[in-house]
Amino acid sequence: MKDYLNYMRSIVARRCAELRELDIEAIRALPGYSPDASIYDDKVRCGVHHRSTPAGQHIVVAQAVRDSWFGMAYAVQLDGFAIEADGTRRELAENEKWEYD
């Protein structure tokens, strides 16, 4: 299992790095959820979550999920960042990630 977790962490880290390079207009244009078109493994699903808040903040989360029997999530790895209304970027606090876990 540990090898899969490291594998999933590397996918999430690479995807987050790509997302951090996007400008604010590209971030705003992200849908609420978009599955990653890349196929990493037949048991690992990847995607990007995007949410905007009433305060003008944008939350972006890259997620990798390893499925087991009957589509149940067996392991989840994720990371993300927020863009504040004034354009500053910051890492997500651990509790901000909980809803995607």
Side-chain angles (χ1 to χ4, degrees):
M1 179 61 170
K2 188 171 186 166
D3 289 336
Y4 250 104
L5 290 178
N6 288 331
Y7 171 65
M8 292 166 63
R9 281 186 198 113
S10 69
I11 292 169
V12 167
R14 184 170 37 104
R15 190 66 179 115
C16 268
E18 294 167 355
L19 292 163
R20 285 182 177 95
E21 295 295 318
L22 297 176
D23 63 24
I24 187 64
E25 293 307 315
I27 296 290
R28 284 185 182 134
L30 290 173
Y33 177 77
S34 54
D36 196 330
S38 301
I39 302 298
Y40 298 100
D41 185 293
D42 62 344
K43 293 186 183 201
V44 177
R45 291 180 289 116
C46 301
V48 174
H49 296 269
H50 168 246
R51 180 170 54 91
S52 57
T53 68
Q57 182 183 63
H58 289 268
I59 308 291
V60 179
V61 174
Q63 179 189 56
V65 178
R66 183 170 187 230
D67 290 330
S68 67
W69 296 77
F70 306 110
M72 301 285 292
Y74 182 60
V76 178
Q77 294 294 310
L78 56 94
D79 196 8
F81 60 95
I83 302 176
E84 302 295 338
D86 66 3
T88 58
R89 294 176 184 229
R90 65 173 178 81
E91 296 300 312
L92 291 180
E94 197 61 36
N95 64 333
E96 292 176 296
K97 298 176 189 178
W98 293 346
E99 92 179 68
Y100 305 98
D101 220 353

